[in-house]
């Protein structure tokens, strides 16, 4: 039952309070019993109390992070504890004046029970803690409106809003076991059944083993269940990469906002300018030339003649249908397209090319290749399979075979940029761009002995889009194979620009595309998941968008180089503008 006081002179009916007394209902000030106001003293003790408590909470948070026992205290912590206790005693004594007043005015000695005193003290302290007013105002209980109480700080939330994972005694035992080597770090997920907890324990064990802090690496806010067994092993956190948007890119009559995950300044802005130039000129056109993922095992025979026998067998059109049926059993989307062989002595390299639907397809084609090798073992029992991949594929390495034969999606993208757009948007001329492209991208790359690198910076755009959409970033090596061509057309007034990319390796299902952030970027482009109408359509569209974005990036960077704007733009978006000589002096 709630207790009400009418005035300090009226008889008070007391009942055991069922809940805390509301301060708004009491108009009597505790300071009425004092001869002088104590505003200054109260302000000092309020400040001392909350400063000491704040300091101790911060220290305890750091100890929890570093696994330091809480009972190990420094001199400054001892002083803070004494200050908080002393100020608490003063504040408790100050508010106790009102309790003395109530005893004087209430003749019954059993009106307030001890437990009621504790409840009232708790409520008073909590309300004082929640008030954002000066100490003088805090003495006046007649304030009509109070701000809502501040949330109680728990072990999971501290003042800087950085969540701290609290380790239990059981976690501590597991950490010590990992540190000592008794429990393998990689087995934590299977043993605990909780991926987030396993990552936290592994992280803490790593910090103790190395003596290095991982405080800047985020742990919370990530779904570790989603990467189990498919994306990353033994996680201890995740890296944040900003995602920018370039566009709209007008490609084949449709507009696309292209997500780019990068830490390089000026890259998104430059690509965005290229998209603008393409859009103002009527858009770009992209065409798929080939679509086939490859895998090339290496097998060995006792003689070169036996290796040649298998080569002739595989290249015989009459045998291809049988091999295709064996290969296609690996998946409902896998379709064998061709087998090309190369001999080195008695070693034979077999390059299988396969359609893989909307998946990037490395696992799919590897499984099909294994089926064919098992089948061939019957007719060629002396065949020794050295490796499922013999680098004749070639994956994640620059190789002429990919430049000539293609791997993944082979795409060409082109646009005609109006002369006015070249001058007003790109700030250069058609003649300058054509000359620079010939001397830089073509002649300069040839002088350097480039392999697939006849471009300005195709890998910049490819990698940024790959990371944003959950592709394998390492495959930017062959996916960035690109030759950029520029030519004056329409009597030299306009610019024809194109990029030819023979090995764009992308997928919209599997791997990193399943993660929430990457899935959102795929959804933005309208290529999320597998195409229900036409298998492979989404991955093909993604490849053409990548080529379109590369076209925009090439156009903008080449224009910046031709106009002498490269250093200026990077100093604006990516570098400090300070005079280094003055700073050093």
């Amino acid at each position: 039952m709630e207790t009400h006081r009418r005035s300090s002179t009226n008889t008070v009916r007391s009942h055991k309070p069922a809940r805390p007394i509301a301060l708004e209902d009491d108009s009597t000030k505790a300071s009425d019993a004092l001869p002088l106001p104590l505003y200054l003293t109260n302000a000092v003790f309020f400040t001392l109390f909350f400063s000491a408590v704040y300091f101790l909470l911060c220290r305890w948070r750091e100890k929890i992070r570093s696994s330091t026992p809480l009972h190990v205290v420094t001199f400054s912590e001892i002083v803070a504890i004494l200050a908080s206790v002393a100020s608490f005693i003063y504040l408790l004594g100050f508010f106790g004046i009102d309790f003395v007043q109530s005893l004087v005015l209430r003749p019954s000695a059993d009106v307030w029970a001890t437990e009621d005193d504790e409840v009232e003290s708790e409520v008073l302290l909590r309300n004082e803690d929640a008030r954002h007013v000066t100490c003088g105002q805090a003495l006046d209980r007649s304030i009509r409106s109070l701000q809502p109480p501040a949330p109680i700080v728990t072990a999971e939330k501290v003042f800087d809003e950085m969540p701290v994972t609290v380790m239990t005694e059981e976690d501590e035992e597991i950490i010590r076991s990992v540190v000592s080597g008794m429990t393998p770090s990689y087995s934590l997920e299977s043993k605990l059944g909780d991926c987030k907890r396993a990552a936290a324990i592994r992280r803490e064990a790593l910090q103790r083993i190395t003596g290095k802090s991982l405080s800047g690496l985020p742990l919370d806010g990530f779904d570790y269940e989603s990467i189990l067994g498919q994306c990353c092993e033994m996680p201890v956190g995740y890296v944040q990469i900003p995602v920018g948007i370039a566009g709209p890119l007008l490609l084949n009559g449709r507009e696309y906002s292209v997500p780019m995950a990068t830490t390089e300044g000026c890259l998104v802005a430059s690509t965005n300018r290229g998209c603008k130039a393409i859009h103002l000129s009527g858009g770009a056109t992209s065409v798929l030339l080939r679509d086939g993922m490859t895998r090339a095992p290496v097998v060995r025979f006792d003689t070169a003649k036996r290796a040649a026998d298998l080569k002739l067998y595989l290249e015989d059109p009459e045998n291809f249908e049988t091999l295709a049926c064996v290969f296609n059993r690996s998946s409902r989307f896998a379709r064998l397209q061709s087998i090309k062989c190369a001999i080195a002595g008695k070693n034979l390299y077999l390059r299988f090319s396969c359609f893989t639907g909307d998946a990037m397809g490395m696992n799919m084609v590897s499984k099909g290749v294994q089926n064919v090798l098992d089948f061939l073992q019957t007719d060629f029992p002396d065949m020794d399979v050295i490796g499922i991949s013999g680098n004749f594929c070639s994956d994640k390495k620059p190789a002429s075979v990919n430049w000539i034969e293609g791997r993944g999606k082979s795409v060409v993208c082109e646009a005609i940029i109006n002369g006015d757009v070249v001058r007003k948007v790109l700030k250069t001329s058609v003649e300058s761009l054509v000359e620079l492209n010939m001397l830089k991208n073509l002649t300069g790359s040839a002088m350097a002995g480039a392999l697939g690198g006849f471009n300005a910076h195709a890998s910049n755009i490819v990698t940024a889009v790959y990371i944003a959409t959950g592709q394998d970033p390492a495959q930017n090596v062959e996916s960035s194979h690109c030759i950029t061509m520029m030519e004056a057309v329409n009597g030299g007034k306009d610019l024809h620009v194109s990029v030819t990319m023979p090995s764009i390796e992308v997928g919209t299902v599997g791997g990193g595309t399943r993660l929430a952030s990457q899935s959102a970027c795929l959804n933005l482009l309208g290529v999320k998941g597998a195409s229900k109408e036409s298998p492979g359509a989404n991955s093909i569209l993604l490849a053409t968008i990548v080529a379109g974005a590369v076209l925009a990036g090439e156009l903008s960077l080449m224009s910046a180089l031709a106009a002498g704007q490269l250093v200026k733009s990077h100093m604006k978006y990516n570098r400090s503008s300070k005079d280094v000589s003055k700073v050093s002096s």
Side-chain angles (χ1 to χ4, degrees):
M1 182 182 296
E2 186 177 354
T3 305
H4 299 274
R5 300 181 185 176
R6 298 182 180 179
S7 67
S8 60
T9 57
N10 293 339
T11 304
V12 181
R13 296 180 181 179
S14 303
H15 301 277
K16 184 177 181 179
R19 59 181 186 223
I21 300 173
L23 295 178
E24 294 82 352
D25 297 338
D26 190 357
S27 61
T28 304
K29 299 179 182 179
S31 59
D32 290 343
L34 298 175
L36 294 174
L38 298 176
Y39 300 149
L40 182 59
T41 306
N42 290 338
V44 171
F45 277 95
F46 265 108
T47 304
L48 182 62
F49 176 74
F50 289 112
S51 299
V53 171
Y54 177 77
F55 173 78
L56 290 174
L57 287 177
C58 291
R59 293 294 301 166
W60 291 340
R61 178 194 64 190
E62 294 299 327
K63 287 184 178 182
I64 291 174
R65 284 182 173 177
S66 60
S67 300
T68 303
L70 296 181
H71 64 271
V72 177
V73 294
T74 61
F75 177 75
S76 59
E77 293 172 348
I78 294 175
V79 173
I81 293 173
L82 294 177
S84 62
V85 172
S87 56
F88 177 78
I89 292 174
Y90 169 82
L91 295 175
L92 185 62
F94 173 75
F95 287 109
I97 294 174
D98 186 60
F99 175 67
V100 173
Q101 280 184 319
S102 65
L103 289 180
V104 174
L105 296 174
R106 296 176 184 145
S108 178
D110 60 348
V111 173
W112 297 101
T114 303
E115 61 178 358
D116 296 327
D117 290 339
E118 296 175 353
V119 170
E120 183 175 5
S121 297
E122 269 189 359
V123 174
L124 293 176
L125 288 175
R126 187 163 58 248
N127 279 274
E128 291 297 337
D129 184 45
R131 295 182 188 178
H132 300 281
V133 296
T134 61
C135 294
Q137 290 174 323
L139 292 174
D140 188 0
R141 294 191 186 179
S142 61
I143 298 176
R144 296 182 180 179
S145 61
L146 290 176
Q147 295 185 4
I152 300 175
V153 179
T154 65
E156 292 293 332
K157 293 183 180 179
V158 291
F159 288 95
D160 62 356
E161 296 184 358
M162 288 290 292
V164 178
T165 303
V166 178
M167 296 293 179
T168 64
E169 292 183 1
E170 183 182 357
D171 291 342
E172 281 292 335
E173 292 181 3
I174 299 174
I175 292 172
R176 287 193 292 268
S177 178
V178 173
V179 172
S180 65
M182 296 179 61
T183 300
S185 178
Y186 62 81
S187 66
L188 289 174
E189 280 80 5
S190 60
K191 290 181 179 296
L192 299 177
D194 185 341
C195 294
K196 169 67 183 301
R197 183 185 174 200
I201 291 175
R202 180 182 296 111
R203 177 193 182 102
E204 181 60 30
L206 178 63
Q207 292 183 128
R208 296 186 188 182
I209 292 172
T210 62
K212 306 294 184 180
S213 173
L214 291 176
S215 59
L217 184 68
L219 175 67
D220 296 299
F222 189 81
D223 182 12
Y224 293 93
E225 302 285 347
S226 64
I227 65 173
L228 182 63
Q230 62 180 13
C231 290
C232 180
E233 297 76 39
M234 295 187 289
V236 293
Y238 59 96
V239 175
Q240 297 167 310
I241 301 179
V243 177
I245 295 296
L249 171 66
L250 183 58
L251 181 66
N252 294 334
R254 293 179 58 186
E255 291 184 349
Y256 300 95
S257 296
V258 184
M260 301 175 65
T262 180
T263 56
E264 179 184 353
C266 207
L267 178 60
V268 178
S270 178
T271 308
N272 190 66
R273 183 176 75 149
C275 291
K276 179 181 179 181
I278 293 173
H279 200 291
L280 292 175
S281 301
T285 303
S286 191
V287 180
L288 179 75
L289 304 177
R290 272 189 304 263
D291 183 7
M293 180 51 64
T294 63
R295 175 59 86 199
V298 54
V299 298
R300 183 171 59 192
F301 291 87
D302 293 335
T303 63
K305 183 181 181 304
R306 286 293 291 166
D309 290 342
L310 178 57
K311 180 179 184 297
L312 296 175
Y313 175 88
L314 294 174
E315 293 177 347
D316 188 345
E318 295 182 358
N319 297 325
F320 180 79
E321 291 300 325
T322 302
L323 297 175
C325 291
V326 175
F327 184 98
N328 296 344
R329 293 173 189 168
S330 61
S331 170
R332 57 195 178 103
F333 296 109
R335 296 295 179 268
L336 183 63
Q337 297 171 331
S338 64
I339 305 175
K340 294 187 177 181
C341 302
I343 286 184
K346 59 182 183 179
N347 303 300
L348 180 64
Y349 296 83
L350 299 72
R351 193 172 193 262
F352 291 77
S353 180
C354 159
F355 174 77
T356 58
D358 284 306
M360 186 270 289
M362 287 295 299
N363 294 333
M364 189 184 301
V365 67
S366 297
K367 186 177 178 181
V369 168
Q370 188 63 55
N371 289 345
V372 173
L373 292 176
D374 294 340
F375 175 80
L376 292 175
Q377 204 80 52
T378 303
D379 293 332
F380 296 87
D382 54 338
M383 179 181 69
D384 184 14
V385 179
I386 303 301
I388 191 68
S389 175
N391 272 6
F392 189 48
C393 316
S394 171
D395 184 43
K396 301 173 184 175
K397 291 165 286 291
S400 296
V401 67
N402 292 336
W403 179 248
I404 298 171
E405 298 290 342
R407 189 171 195 255
K409 276 74 174 171
S410 299
V411 181
V412 59
C413 186
E414 64 178 346
I416 296 178
I417 310 300
N418 296 335
D420 290 339
V421 174
V422 173
R423 290 187 295 273
K424 295 179 181 179
V425 177
L426 302 177
K427 310 299 182 183
T428 186
S429 64
V430 174
E431 296 80 5
S432 298
L433 283 173
V434 172
E435 181 181 27
L436 178 63
N437 185 73
M438 180 186 67
L439 293 177
K440 171 184 168 61
N441 289 340
L442 304 182
T443 309
S445 297
M447 292 295 293
L451 180 59
F454 297 88
N455 58 80
H457 70 150
S459 63
N460 243 341
I461 290 85
V462 171
T463 306
V465 177
Y466 271 27
I467 295 175
T469 57
Q471 311 304 312
D472 189 342
Q475 288 186 324
N476 83 87
V477 175
E478 63 268 36
S479 296
S480 298
H481 280 354
C482 171
I483 182 169
T484 300
M485 303 291 292
M486 292 185 181
E487 180 182 353
V489 295
N490 299 329
K493 296 181 180 179
D494 301 326
L495 175 72
H496 180 275
V497 56
S498 67
V499 292
T500 304
M501 307 180 69
S503 52
I504 300 178
E505 299 162 350
V506 293
T508 58
V509 296
T513 65
R514 302 171 183 171
L515 302 180
S517 301
Q518 289 80 348
S519 179
C521 291
L522 289 171
N523 188 58
L524 175 66
L525 294 172
V527 295
K528 178 182 177 181
S531 174
K532 298 180 180 179
E533 293 78 15
S534 176
N538 283 350
S539 61
I540 292 173
L541 178 56
L542 179 58
T544 59
I545 293 173
V546 170
V550 169
L551 180 69
E554 289 287 283
L555 185 61
S556 182
L557 177 58
M558 292 294 290
S559 300
L561 290 170
Q565 299 171 336
L566 179 65
V567 175
K568 182 179 178 180
S569 62
H570 273 272
M571 290 299 291
K572 178 180 179 181
Y573 291 101
N574 199 33
R575 302 289 293 180
S576 172
S577 59
K578 294 181 180 179
D579 189 337
V580 180
S581 61
K582 293 182 179 179
V583 174
S584 60
S585 61

